[in-house]
Amino acid sequence: MAHTGRTAGRLGEGDWDGKVSEIKKKIKSILPGRSCDLLQDTSHLPPEHSDVVIVGGGVLGLSVAYWLKKLESRRGAIRVLVVERDHTYSQASTGLSVGGICQQFSLPENIQLSLFSASFLRNINEYLAVVDAPPLDLRFSPSGYLLLASEKDAAAMESNVKVQRQVGAKISLMSPDQLRNKFPWINTEGVALASYGMEDEGWFDPWCLLQGLRRKVQSLGVLFCQGEVTRFVSSSQRMLTTDDKAVVLKRIHKVHVKMDCSLEYQPVECAIVVNAAGAWSAQIAALAGIGEGPPGTLQGTKLPVEPRKRYVYVWHCPQGPGLETPLVADTSGAYFRREGLGSNYLGGRSPTEQEEPDPANLEVDHDFFQDKVWPHLALRIPAFETLKVQSAWASYYDYNTFDQNGVVGPHPLVANMYFATGFSGHGLQQAPGVGRAVAEMILKGRFQTIDLSPFLFTRFYLGEKIQENNII
Amino acid sequence: MAAPWASLRLVAPMWNGRIRGIHRLGGAVAPEGNQKKKRTILQLLTNYFYDVEALRDYLLQREMYKVHEKNRSFTWLEKQHGPYGAGAFFILKQGGAVKFRDKEWIRPDKYGHFSQEFWNFCVVPVEAVDASDCDINYEGLDNLLLLKELQSLSLQRCSHVDDWCLSRLYPLADSLQELSLAGCPRVSERGLACLHHLRNLRRLDISDLPAVSNPGLTQILVEEMLPNCEVVGVDWAEGLKSGPEEQPQDTASPVPA
């Protein structure tokens, strides 16, 4: 046993006996006659090391993974692991989304993101082509969005359309007469102005995009793991700013991924963590220690993203608007669109702050349709006075309570946690652009194509709201 | 993911004949039964060797690049020859035919050559374009939309024309009267819904669209959408069998209330 002295490592006084007995046990198990229990089946566990760990396998997480692999400097340079708690995506916002994409925002960054996403979706079979796999059919309906504005919102709509046209979106403004001419089934009472997207707007199948991204990302070498992130092991460092104020900088070293229905967990050593957990991003941020500190300081600023429940109802109306119907968003906030060829429509309405439903579960409140959605729809589209609700579902918005716009980029104190969350209902349509922006931030250190610096985390501490006026 | 084995250098003899057949960019929506097709040697090699996978990926990208090359922008010709000349040149280069107002059809011959005298006609607007079997895609429409007074457009059997392209045709709404989309494999009812902008359309051909899920119902909805247009498409006798005449069922007895 002469060589055991070398292999035992550092010889501390107390643990020498323990180490020897461990080594004796190992050698006994290798010798024939004993069952070999050195090697256990760990195929369900994530790898022990990964360069980037993406928490959340929805469309935003997969988009970040895709762009990281697309923009890496040489093949196989970055090891990426995507951790998703629920592989059936039963509560994920992506699969339950209405699937719309539009450029009618007031912020130029939002418009740029949507324009890029439209061109990504248009060329999806070039971006996400996998050898020997069938091409993706997104079922995109290029019918556009029609936003209606009352007297008091008309001026804001005009200035928004001006910004949209400057950035490159093709939007046309219509007066109530032109609206009646084009879409005779609208009741234009109370409508002063309407904006209609002519190109690159419509709706598509989000599930297809998710599966396409998953397939492509797996072919590029990204690893998937089904598990829940329960702990971050990090180290902190006290530093002084130029004004001699103490700042505690943290760095995450390990991510503990716990397996489903068991206590087994795997610590994954990583360099960068991306928080793309959607409606549950705040929990992940809290695990990393974001928000633990006196309120009003940078340490005490929590991630203001919380799950908000939204309902979508599907109804049948035989005399309803025809094939040319865009996604119509009324002055009251109610919206609807056609679904398929058989006079089915789906839509809903965002509740006001007082009417917010409890996000503990995804149960549907049918009275909400009766009281708060149907009256507005029937007023605007008289054909909807006779309709029959076929089904409904509920889903979560990853709602940013601060200003309803996304959070993108690194955290100022937890240096290696990057956010890609909080998009409050337009995460799906901005996912390709945001994924590319986060990948650029990680790989190059700055935003290169679309500048999303107004979306950084620091705005929560500095109080700089970037309010988006057109939230459906 | 391919197993990390040593890369194979002797790839040459295997791929020469096989690549062209299997390797098209798909074009149409893949039919449902495709999943169960037999694994060929090429697919087996692709699954096991990185080199073969990278090579096939490269060839796929090259196919796509060729289509992009064909659809590059010809708007630089607009300064010299005007919009009608630039648009007509694009169509002729693709293999289609153009007809200037009061002139004859100009078609390239089987070698792709066409008479250069059409440069003299460039002040006259183009009336009709026959782009059947061409590789026009969304970017190429930039060039086609230069022809502002186009009256008749035929995009029959264009394999790269899809719903996105149809949503881009609205600038031609004032003049376009005839449109044919017969045989386009990527056009579905969602793209046909965007044709409501074309208010002056008088004749629309939507026959033989494999991606449309319910051709009969789609034709009815399109006819409702475009009341002044004659929609040609569905063969209403399709699916009906001509059998012996049956006696009509007795429907006279009323149902008791």
Side-chain angles (χ1 to χ4, degrees), chain A residues 104-111 160 164 403-405 426 430 455 465-471:
Chain A
Q104 299 187 43
F105 295 104
S106 51
L107 280 174
E109 285 86 12
N110 276 337
I111 306 171
N160 285 348
Q164 289 151 21
D403 56 11
Q404 289 90 58
N405 269 314
H426 39 100
Q430 294 181 334
F455 289 142
K465 288 197 185 190
I466 36 164
Q467 204 69 35
E468 173 59 58
N469 298 328
N470 284 353
I471 290 289

mmCIF file with all atom_site columns, all heavy atoms in Angstrom, chain A residues 104-111 160 164 403-405 426 430 455 465-471:
data_model
loop_
_atom_site.group_PDB
_atom_site.id
_atom_site.type_symbol
_atom_site.label_atom_id
_atom_site.label_alt_id
_atom_site.label_comp_id
_atom_site.label_asym_id
_atom_site.label_entity_id
_atom_site.label_seq_id
_atom_site.pdbx_PDB_ins_code
_atom_site.Cartn_x
_atom_site.Cartn_y
_atom_site.Cartn_z
_atom_site.occupancy
_atom_site.B_iso_or_equiv
_atom_site.pdbx_formal_charge
_atom_site.auth_seq_id
_atom_site.auth_comp_id
_atom_site.auth_asym_id
_atom_site.auth_atom_id
_atom_site.pdbx_PDB_model_num
ATOM 1   N N   . GLN A 1 104 ? -46.558 47.743 -33.017 1.00 0.00 ? 104 GLN A N   1
ATOM 2   C CA  . GLN A 1 104 ? -47.188 48.997 -32.609 1.00 0.00 ? 104 GLN A CA  1
ATOM 3   C C   . GLN A 1 104 ? -46.912 49.289 -31.150 1.00 0.00 ? 104 GLN A C   1
ATOM 4   O O   . GLN A 1 104 ? -47.764 49.143 -30.284 1.00 0.00 ? 104 GLN A O   1
ATOM 5   C CB  . GLN A 1 104 ? -48.684 48.927 -32.906 1.00 0.00 ? 104 GLN A CB  1
ATOM 6   C CG  . GLN A 1 104 ? -48.875 48.744 -34.401 1.00 0.00 ? 104 GLN A CG  1
ATOM 7   C CD  . GLN A 1 104 ? -50.303 48.822 -34.826 1.00 0.00 ? 104 GLN A CD  1
ATOM 8   O OE1 . GLN A 1 104 ? -51.030 49.683 -34.369 1.00 0.00 ? 104 GLN A OE1 1
ATOM 9   N NE2 . GLN A 1 104 ? -50.728 47.920 -35.691 1.00 0.00 ? 104 GLN A NE2 1
ATOM 10  N N   . PHE A 1 105 ? -45.687 49.683 -30.870 1.00 0.00 ? 105 PHE A N   1
ATOM 11  C CA  . PHE A 1 105 ? -45.284 50.092 -29.525 1.00 0.00 ? 105 PHE A CA  1
ATOM 12  C C   . PHE A 1 105 ? -44.894 51.554 -29.563 1.00 0.00 ? 105 PHE A C   1
ATOM 13  O O   . PHE A 1 105 ? -44.726 52.147 -30.624 1.00 0.00 ? 105 PHE A O   1
ATOM 14  C CB  . PHE A 1 105 ? -44.068 49.281 -29.068 1.00 0.00 ? 105 PHE A CB  1
ATOM 15  C CG  . PHE A 1 105 ? -44.337 47.824 -28.896 1.00 0.00 ? 105 PHE A CG  1
ATOM 16  C CD1 . PHE A 1 105 ? -43.893 46.917 -29.828 1.00 0.00 ? 105 PHE A CD1 1
ATOM 17  C CD2 . PHE A 1 105 ? -45.024 47.354 -27.792 1.00 0.00 ? 105 PHE A CD2 1
ATOM 18  C CE1 . PHE A 1 105 ? -44.131 45.566 -29.670 1.00 0.00 ? 105 PHE A CE1 1
ATOM 19  C CE2 . PHE A 1 105 ? -45.263 46.007 -27.631 1.00 0.00 ? 105 PHE A CE2 1
ATOM 20  C CZ  . PHE A 1 105 ? -44.817 45.108 -28.581 1.00 0.00 ? 105 PHE A CZ  1
ATOM 21  N N   . SER A 1 106 ? -44.684 52.110 -28.363 1.00 0.00 ? 106 SER A N   1
ATOM 22  C CA  . SER A 1 106 ? -44.253 53.503 -28.346 1.00 0.00 ? 106 SER A CA  1
ATOM 23  C C   . SER A 1 106 ? -42.751 53.634 -28.168 1.00 0.00 ? 106 SER A C   1
ATOM 24  O O   . SER A 1 106 ? -42.167 54.649 -28.523 1.00 0.00 ? 106 SER A O   1
ATOM 25  C CB  . SER A 1 106 ? -44.993 54.278 -27.254 1.00 0.00 ? 106 SER A CB  1
ATOM 26  O OG  . SER A 1 106 ? -44.903 53.600 -26.033 1.00 0.00 ? 106 SER A OG  1
ATOM 27  N N   . LEU A 1 107 ? -42.088 52.593 -27.632 1.00 0.00 ? 107 LEU A N   1
ATOM 28  C CA  . LEU A 1 107 ? -40.638 52.675 -27.443 1.00 0.00 ? 107 LEU A CA  1
ATOM 29  C C   . LEU A 1 107 ? -39.917 52.179 -28.691 1.00 0.00 ? 107 LEU A C   1
ATOM 30  O O   . LEU A 1 107 ? -40.220 51.101 -29.188 1.00 0.00 ? 107 LEU A O   1
ATOM 31  C CB  . LEU A 1 107 ? -40.216 51.787 -26.283 1.00 0.00 ? 107 LEU A CB  1
ATOM 32  C CG  . LEU A 1 107 ? -40.420 52.332 -24.896 1.00 0.00 ? 107 LEU A CG  1
ATOM 33  C CD1 . LEU A 1 107 ? -40.095 51.259 -23.900 1.00 0.00 ? 107 LEU A CD1 1
ATOM 34  C CD2 . LEU A 1 107 ? -39.521 53.531 -24.658 1.00 0.00 ? 107 LEU A CD2 1
ATOM 35  N N   . PRO A 1 108 ? -38.922 52.925 -29.203 1.00 0.00 ? 108 PRO A N   1
ATOM 36  C CA  . PRO A 1 108 ? -38.215 52.458 -30.415 1.00 0.00 ? 108 PRO A CA  1
ATOM 37  C C   . PRO A 1 108 ? -37.546 51.104 -30.220 1.00 0.00 ? 108 PRO A C   1
ATOM 38  O O   . PRO A 1 108 ? -37.489 50.303 -31.153 1.00 0.00 ? 108 PRO A O   1
ATOM 39  C CB  . PRO A 1 108 ? -37.164 53.547 -30.678 1.00 0.00 ? 108 PRO A CB  1
ATOM 40  C CG  . PRO A 1 108 ? -37.514 54.680 -29.813 1.00 0.00 ? 108 PRO A CG  1
ATOM 41  C CD  . PRO A 1 108 ? -38.459 54.238 -28.763 1.00 0.00 ? 108 PRO A CD  1
ATOM 42  N N   . GLU A 1 109 ? -37.050 50.826 -28.980 1.00 0.00 ? 109 GLU A N   1
ATOM 43  C CA  . GLU A 1 109 ? -36.381 49.531 -28.762 1.00 0.00 ? 109 GLU A CA  1
ATOM 44  C C   . GLU A 1 109 ? -37.353 48.389 -28.935 1.00 0.00 ? 109 GLU A C   1
ATOM 45  O O   . GLU A 1 109 ? -37.043 47.362 -29.540 1.00 0.00 ? 109 GLU A O   1
ATOM 46  C CB  . GLU A 1 109 ? -35.797 49.459 -27.345 1.00 0.00 ? 109 GLU A CB  1
ATOM 47  C CG  . GLU A 1 109 ? -34.541 50.269 -27.128 1.00 0.00 ? 109 GLU A CG  1
ATOM 48  C CD  . GLU A 1 109 ? -34.865 51.699 -26.769 1.00 0.00 ? 109 GLU A CD  1
ATOM 49  O OE1 . GLU A 1 109 ? -36.040 51.974 -26.470 1.00 0.00 ? 109 GLU A OE1 1
ATOM 50  O OE2 . GLU A 1 109 ? -33.950 52.534 -26.815 1.00 0.00 ? 109 GLU A OE2 1
ATOM 51  N N   . ASN A 1 110 ? -38.574 48.553 -28.422 1.00 0.00 ? 110 ASN A N   1
ATOM 52  C CA  . ASN A 1 110 ? -39.585 47.505 -28.575 1.00 0.00 ? 110 ASN A CA  1
ATOM 53  C C   . ASN A 1 110 ? -39.918 47.276 -30.044 1.00 0.00 ? 110 ASN A C   1
ATOM 54  O O   . ASN A 1 110 ? -40.096 46.143 -30.485 1.00 0.00 ? 110 ASN A O   1
ATOM 55  C CB  . ASN A 1 110 ? -40.871 47.889 -27.829 1.00 0.00 ? 110 ASN A CB  1
ATOM 56  C CG  . ASN A 1 110 ? -40.808 47.524 -26.357 1.00 0.00 ? 110 ASN A CG  1
ATOM 57  O OD1 . ASN A 1 110 ? -40.054 46.654 -25.968 1.00 0.00 ? 110 ASN A OD1 1
ATOM 58  N ND2 . ASN A 1 110 ? -41.593 48.197 -25.544 1.00 0.00 ? 110 ASN A ND2 1
ATOM 59  N N   . ILE A 1 111 ? -40.004 48.376 -30.807 1.00 0.00 ? 111 ILE A N   1
ATOM 60  C CA  . ILE A 1 111 ? -40.333 48.248 -32.234 1.00 0.00 ? 111 ILE A CA  1
ATOM 61  C C   . ILE A 1 111 ? -39.210 47.516 -32.959 1.00 0.00 ? 111 ILE A C   1
ATOM 62  O O   . ILE A 1 111 ? -39.450 46.632 -33.786 1.00 0.00 ? 111 ILE A O   1
ATOM 63  C CB  . ILE A 1 111 ? -40.556 49.631 -32.871 1.00 0.00 ? 111 ILE A CB  1
ATOM 64  C CG1 . ILE A 1 111 ? -41.595 50.429 -32.085 1.00 0.00 ? 111 ILE A CG1 1
ATOM 65  C CG2 . ILE A 1 111 ? -41.020 49.489 -34.310 1.00 0.00 ? 111 ILE A CG2 1
ATOM 66  C CD1 . ILE A 1 111 ? -41.703 51.863 -32.513 1.00 0.00 ? 111 ILE A CD1 1
ATOM 67  N N   . ASN A 1 160 ? -47.143 57.874 -31.639 1.00 0.00 ? 160 ASN A N   1
ATOM 68  C CA  . ASN A 1 160 ? -46.574 56.524 -31.638 1.00 0.00 ? 160 ASN A CA  1
ATOM 69  C C   . ASN A 1 160 ? -46.347 56.049 -33.056 1.00 0.00 ? 160 ASN A C   1
ATOM 70  O O   . ASN A 1 160 ? -45.308 55.477 -33.376 1.00 0.00 ? 160 ASN A O   1
ATOM 71  C CB  . ASN A 1 160 ? -47.535 55.538 -30.949 1.00 0.00 ? 160 ASN A CB  1
ATOM 72  C CG  . ASN A 1 160 ? -47.531 55.696 -29.456 1.00 0.00 ? 160 ASN A CG  1
ATOM 73  O OD1 . ASN A 1 160 ? -46.659 56.375 -28.920 1.00 0.00 ? 160 ASN A OD1 1
ATOM 74  N ND2 . ASN A 1 160 ? -48.485 55.098 -28.782 1.00 0.00 ? 160 ASN A ND2 1
ATOM 75  N N   . GLN A 1 164 ? -43.021 54.677 -34.930 1.00 0.00 ? 164 GLN A N   1
ATOM 76  C CA  . GLN A 1 164 ? -42.986 53.356 -35.544 1.00 0.00 ? 164 GLN A CA  1
ATOM 77  C C   . GLN A 1 164 ? -42.537 53.451 -37.000 1.00 0.00 ? 164 GLN A C   1
ATOM 78  O O   . GLN A 1 164 ? -41.739 52.642 -37.462 1.00 0.00 ? 164 GLN A O   1
ATOM 79  C CB  . GLN A 1 164 ? -44.372 52.700 -35.476 1.00 0.00 ? 164 GLN A CB  1
ATOM 80  C CG  . GLN A 1 164 ? -44.782 52.259 -34.079 1.00 0.00 ? 164 GLN A CG  1
ATOM 81  C CD  . GLN A 1 164 ? -46.277 52.277 -33.867 1.00 0.00 ? 164 GLN A CD  1
ATOM 82  O OE1 . GLN A 1 164 ? -47.042 52.249 -34.823 1.00 0.00 ? 164 GLN A OE1 1
ATOM 83  N NE2 . GLN A 1 164 ? -46.697 52.314 -32.622 1.00 0.00 ? 164 GLN A NE2 1
ATOM 84  N N   . ASP A 1 403 ? -42.572 48.913 -14.739 1.00 0.00 ? 403 ASP A N   1
ATOM 85  C CA  . ASP A 1 403 ? -42.988 49.645 -15.937 1.00 0.00 ? 403 ASP A CA  1
ATOM 86  C C   . ASP A 1 403 ? -43.420 48.746 -17.089 1.00 0.00 ? 403 ASP A C   1
ATOM 87  O O   . ASP A 1 403 ? -43.472 49.185 -18.227 1.00 0.00 ? 403 ASP A O   1
ATOM 88  C CB  . ASP A 1 403 ? -41.880 50.588 -16.413 1.00 0.00 ? 403 ASP A CB  1
ATOM 89  C CG  . ASP A 1 403 ? -40.581 49.838 -16.671 1.00 0.00 ? 403 ASP A CG  1
ATOM 90  O OD1 . ASP A 1 403 ? -40.611 48.591 -16.690 1.00 0.00 ? 403 ASP A OD1 1
ATOM 91  O OD2 . ASP A 1 403 ? -39.535 50.478 -16.838 1.00 0.00 ? 403 ASP A OD2 1
ATOM 92  N N   . GLN A 1 404 ? -43.754 47.475 -16.801 1.00 0.00 ? 404 GLN A N   1
ATOM 93  C CA  . GLN A 1 404 ? -44.298 46.548 -17.809 1.00 0.00 ? 404 GLN A CA  1
ATOM 94  C C   . GLN A 1 404 ? -43.392 46.369 -19.030 1.00 0.00 ? 404 GLN A C   1
ATOM 95  O O   . GLN A 1 404 ? -43.879 46.078 -20.122 1.00 0.00 ? 404 GLN A O   1
ATOM 96  C CB  . GLN A 1 404 ? -45.696 46.990 -18.307 1.00 0.00 ? 404 GLN A CB  1
ATOM 97  C CG  . GLN A 1 404 ? -46.784 46.813 -17.267 1.00 0.00 ? 404 GLN A CG  1
ATOM 98  C CD  . GLN A 1 404 ? -46.902 48.067 -16.431 1.00 0.00 ? 404 GLN A CD  1
ATOM 99  O OE1 . GLN A 1 404 ? -47.131 49.144 -16.935 1.00 0.00 ? 404 GLN A OE1 1
ATOM 100 N NE2 . GLN A 1 404 ? -46.697 47.915 -15.130 1.00 0.00 ? 404 GLN A NE2 1
ATOM 101 N N   . ASN A 1 405 ? -42.101 46.577 -18.871 1.00 0.00 ? 405 ASN A N   1
ATOM 102 C CA  . ASN A 1 405 ? -41.176 46.276 -19.959 1.00 0.00 ? 405 ASN A CA  1
ATOM 103 C C   . ASN A 1 405 ? -40.136 45.305 -19.454 1.00 0.00 ? 405 ASN A C   1
ATOM 104 O O   . ASN A 1 405 ? -39.946 45.153 -18.252 1.00 0.00 ? 405 ASN A O   1
ATOM 105 C CB  . ASN A 1 405 ? -40.485 47.552 -20.450 1.00 0.00 ? 405 ASN A CB  1
ATOM 106 C CG  . ASN A 1 405 ? -41.259 48.189 -21.574 1.00 0.00 ? 405 ASN A CG  1
ATOM 107 O OD1 . ASN A 1 405 ? -41.694 47.523 -22.501 1.00 0.00 ? 405 ASN A OD1 1
ATOM 108 N ND2 . ASN A 1 405 ? -41.450 49.483 -21.499 1.00 0.00 ? 405 ASN A ND2 1
ATOM 109 N N   . HIS A 1 426 ? -45.440 40.459 -23.841 1.00 0.00 ? 426 HIS A N   1
ATOM 110 C CA  . HIS A 1 426 ? -44.860 40.447 -25.181 1.00 0.00 ? 426 HIS A CA  1
ATOM 111 C C   . HIS A 1 426 ? -43.496 39.797 -25.218 1.00 0.00 ? 426 HIS A C   1
ATOM 112 O O   . HIS A 1 426 ? -42.660 40.126 -26.046 1.00 0.00 ? 426 HIS A O   1
ATOM 113 C CB  . HIS A 1 426 ? -44.860 41.832 -25.840 1.00 0.00 ? 426 HIS A CB  1
ATOM 114 C CG  . HIS A 1 426 ? -44.542 42.976 -24.943 1.00 0.00 ? 426 HIS A CG  1
ATOM 115 N ND1 . HIS A 1 426 ? -43.320 43.562 -24.870 1.00 0.00 ? 426 HIS A ND1 1
ATOM 116 C CD2 . HIS A 1 426 ? -45.328 43.678 -24.092 1.00 0.00 ? 426 HIS A CD2 1
ATOM 117 C CE1 . HIS A 1 426 ? -43.350 44.552 -24.014 1.00 0.00 ? 426 HIS A CE1 1
ATOM 118 N NE2 . HIS A 1 426 ? -44.560 44.655 -23.528 1.00 0.00 ? 426 HIS A NE2 1
ATOM 119 N N   . GLN A 1 430 ? -40.814 39.136 -28.691 1.00 0.00 ? 430 GLN A N   1
ATOM 120 C CA  . GLN A 1 430 ? -39.514 39.791 -28.665 1.00 0.00 ? 430 GLN A CA  1
ATOM 121 C C   . GLN A 1 430 ? -38.397 38.808 -28.380 1.00 0.00 ? 430 GLN A C   1
ATOM 122 O O   . GLN A 1 430 ? -37.238 39.190 -28.320 1.00 0.00 ? 430 GLN A O   1
ATOM 123 C CB  . GLN A 1 430 ? -39.522 40.907 -27.617 1.00 0.00 ? 430 GLN A CB  1
ATOM 124 C CG  . GLN A 1 430 ? -40.488 41.991 -28.052 1.00 0.00 ? 430 GLN A CG  1
ATOM 125 C CD  . GLN A 1 430 ? -40.564 43.144 -27.099 1.00 0.00 ? 430 GLN A CD  1
ATOM 126 O OE1 . GLN A 1 430 ? -40.303 42.984 -25.917 1.00 0.00 ? 430 GLN A OE1 1
ATOM 127 N NE2 . GLN A 1 430 ? -40.917 44.306 -27.616 1.00 0.00 ? 430 GLN A NE2 1
ATOM 128 N N   . PHE A 1 455 ? -33.195 48.878 -20.779 1.00 0.00 ? 455 PHE A N   1
ATOM 129 C CA  . PHE A 1 455 ? -33.865 47.769 -20.112 1.00 0.00 ? 455 PHE A CA  1
ATOM 130 C C   . PHE A 1 455 ? -33.022 47.144 -19.018 1.00 0.00 ? 455 PHE A C   1
ATOM 131 O O   . PHE A 1 455 ? -33.327 46.067 -18.544 1.00 0.00 ? 455 PHE A O   1
ATOM 132 C CB  . PHE A 1 455 ? -34.203 46.666 -21.138 1.00 0.00 ? 455 PHE A CB  1
ATOM 133 C CG  . PHE A 1 455 ? -35.306 47.042 -22.089 1.00 0.00 ? 455 PHE A CG  1
ATOM 134 C CD1 . PHE A 1 455 ? -35.263 46.671 -23.414 1.00 0.00 ? 455 PHE A CD1 1
ATOM 135 C CD2 . PHE A 1 455 ? -36.394 47.773 -21.657 1.00 0.00 ? 455 PHE A CD2 1
ATOM 136 C CE1 . PHE A 1 455 ? -36.281 47.006 -24.289 1.00 0.00 ? 455 PHE A CE1 1
ATOM 137 C CE2 . PHE A 1 455 ? -37.410 48.120 -22.519 1.00 0.00 ? 455 PHE A CE2 1
ATOM 138 C CZ  . PHE A 1 455 ? -37.349 47.727 -23.843 1.00 0.00 ? 455 PHE A CZ  1
ATOM 139 N N   . LYS A 1 465 ? -38.429 55.007 -15.084 1.00 0.00 ? 465 LYS A N   1
ATOM 140 C CA  . LYS A 1 465 ? -39.415 54.141 -15.720 1.00 0.00 ? 465 LYS A CA  1
ATOM 141 C C   . LYS A 1 465 ? -39.404 54.358 -17.224 1.00 0.00 ? 465 LYS A C   1
ATOM 142 O O   . LYS A 1 465 ? -39.399 55.496 -17.687 1.00 0.00 ? 465 LYS A O   1
ATOM 143 C CB  . LYS A 1 465 ? -40.823 54.481 -15.216 1.00 0.00 ? 465 LYS A CB  1
ATOM 144 C CG  . LYS A 1 465 ? -41.088 54.061 -13.811 1.00 0.00 ? 465 LYS A CG  1
ATOM 145 C CD  . LYS A 1 465 ? -42.580 54.053 -13.532 1.00 0.00 ? 465 LYS A CD  1
ATOM 146 C CE  . LYS A 1 465 ? -42.786 53.755 -12.072 1.00 0.00 ? 465 LYS A CE  1
ATOM 147 N NZ  . LYS A 1 465 ? -44.174 53.499 -11.751 1.00 0.00 ? 465 LYS A NZ  1
ATOM 148 N N   . ILE A 1 466 ? -39.443 53.270 -17.984 1.00 0.00 ? 466 ILE A N   1
ATOM 149 C CA  . ILE A 1 466 ? -39.634 53.415 -19.427 1.00 0.00 ? 466 ILE A CA  1
ATOM 150 C C   . ILE A 1 466 ? -41.021 52.885 -19.726 1.00 0.00 ? 466 ILE A C   1
ATOM 151 O O   . ILE A 1 466 ? -41.218 51.705 -19.968 1.00 0.00 ? 466 ILE A O   1
ATOM 152 C CB  . ILE A 1 466 ? -38.565 52.664 -20.231 1.00 0.00 ? 466 ILE A CB  1
ATOM 153 C CG1 . ILE A 1 466 ? -38.173 51.352 -19.564 1.00 0.00 ? 466 ILE A CG1 1
ATOM 154 C CG2 . ILE A 1 466 ? -37.342 53.507 -20.429 1.00 0.00 ? 466 ILE A CG2 1
ATOM 155 C CD1 . ILE A 1 466 ? -37.430 50.447 -20.503 1.00 0.00 ? 466 ILE A CD1 1
ATOM 156 N N   . GLN A 1 467 ? -41.980 53.771 -19.681 1.00 0.00 ? 467 GLN A N   1
ATOM 157 C CA  . GLN A 1 467 ? -43.369 53.339 -19.769 1.00 0.00 ? 467 GLN A CA  1
ATOM 158 C C   . GLN A 1 467 ? -43.747 53.044 -21.199 1.00 0.00 ? 467 GLN A C   1
ATOM 159 O O   . GLN A 1 467 ? -43.442 53.808 -22.105 1.00 0.00 ? 467 GLN A O   1
ATOM 160 C CB  . GLN A 1 467 ? -44.277 54.452 -19.201 1.00 0.00 ? 467 GLN A CB  1
ATOM 161 C CG  . GLN A 1 467 ? -45.606 53.962 -18.703 1.00 0.00 ? 467 GLN A CG  1
ATOM 162 C CD  . GLN A 1 467 ? -45.501 53.113 -17.455 1.00 0.00 ? 467 GLN A CD  1
ATOM 163 O OE1 . GLN A 1 467 ? -44.659 53.352 -16.596 1.00 0.00 ? 467 GLN A OE1 1
ATOM 164 N NE2 . GLN A 1 467 ? -46.305 52.091 -17.351 1.00 0.00 ? 467 GLN A NE2 1
ATOM 165 N N   . GLU A 1 468 ? -44.410 51.914 -21.390 1.00 0.00 ? 468 GLU A N   1
ATOM 166 C CA  . GLU A 1 468 ? -44.906 51.557 -22.709 1.00 0.00 ? 468 GLU A CA  1
ATOM 167 C C   . GLU A 1 468 ? -46.393 51.834 -22.702 1.00 0.00 ? 468 GLU A C   1
ATOM 168 O O   . GLU A 1 468 ? -47.117 51.347 -21.850 1.00 0.00 ? 468 GLU A O   1
ATOM 169 C CB  . GLU A 1 468 ? -44.621 50.084 -22.950 1.00 0.00 ? 468 GLU A CB  1
ATOM 170 C CG  . GLU A 1 468 ? -45.204 49.507 -24.204 1.00 0.00 ? 468 GLU A CG  1
ATOM 171 C CD  . GLU A 1 468 ? -44.730 50.193 -25.446 1.00 0.00 ? 468 GLU A CD  1
ATOM 172 O OE1 . GLU A 1 468 ? -43.514 50.234 -25.671 1.00 0.00 ? 468 GLU A OE1 1
ATOM 173 O OE2 . GLU A 1 468 ? -45.583 50.710 -26.174 1.00 0.00 ? 468 GLU A OE2 1
ATOM 174 N N   . ASN A 1 469 ? -46.868 52.617 -23.690 1.00 0.00 ? 469 ASN A N   1
ATOM 175 C CA  . ASN A 1 469 ? -48.269 53.017 -23.640 1.00 0.00 ? 469 ASN A CA  1
ATOM 176 C C   . ASN A 1 469 ? -49.220 51.998 -24.224 1.00 0.00 ? 469 ASN A C   1
ATOM 177 O O   . ASN A 1 469 ? -50.390 52.013 -23.945 1.00 0.00 ? 469 ASN A O   1
ATOM 178 C CB  . ASN A 1 469 ? -48.448 54.335 -24.414 1.00 0.00 ? 469 ASN A CB  1
ATOM 179 C CG  . ASN A 1 469 ? -47.639 55.434 -23.792 1.00 0.00 ? 469 ASN A CG  1
ATOM 180 O OD1 . ASN A 1 469 ? -47.455 55.439 -22.580 1.00 0.00 ? 469 ASN A OD1 1
ATOM 181 N ND2 . ASN A 1 469 ? -47.133 56.333 -24.588 1.00 0.00 ? 469 ASN A ND2 1
ATOM 182 N N   . ASN A 1 470 ? -48.701 51.104 -25.087 1.00 0.00 ? 470 ASN A N   1
ATOM 183 C CA  . ASN A 1 470 ? -49.615 50.199 -25.794 1.00 0.00 ? 470 ASN A CA  1
ATOM 184 C C   . ASN A 1 470 ? -49.521 48.799 -25.255 1.00 0.00 ? 470 ASN A C   1
ATOM 185 O O   . ASN A 1 470 ? -48.946 47.939 -25.876 1.00 0.00 ? 470 ASN A O   1
ATOM 186 C CB  . ASN A 1 470 ? -49.239 50.147 -27.284 1.00 0.00 ? 470 ASN A CB  1
ATOM 187 C CG  . ASN A 1 470 ? -49.679 51.376 -28.008 1.00 0.00 ? 470 ASN A CG  1
ATOM 188 O OD1 . ASN A 1 470 ? -50.374 52.199 -27.447 1.00 0.00 ? 470 ASN A OD1 1
ATOM 189 N ND2 . ASN A 1 470 ? -49.273 51.502 -29.243 1.00 0.00 ? 470 ASN A ND2 1
ATOM 190 N N   . ILE A 1 471 ? -50.069 48.569 -24.092 1.00 0.00 ? 471 ILE A N   1
ATOM 191 C CA  . ILE A 1 471 ? -50.033 47.202 -23.564 1.00 0.00 ? 471 ILE A CA  1
ATOM 192 C C   . ILE A 1 471 ? -51.394 46.570 -23.755 1.00 0.00 ? 471 ILE A C   1
ATOM 193 O O   . ILE A 1 471 ? -52.393 47.135 -23.349 1.00 0.00 ? 471 ILE A O   1
ATOM 194 C CB  . ILE A 1 471 ? -49.695 47.201 -22.056 1.00 0.00 ? 471 ILE A CB  1
ATOM 195 C CG1 . ILE A 1 471 ? -48.261 47.603 -21.877 1.00 0.00 ? 471 ILE A CG1 1
ATOM 196 C CG2 . ILE A 1 471 ? -49.903 45.832 -21.453 1.00 0.00 ? 471 ILE A CG2 1
ATOM 197 C CD1 . ILE A 1 471 ? -47.280 46.586 -22.325 1.00 0.00 ? 471 ILE A CD1 1
#
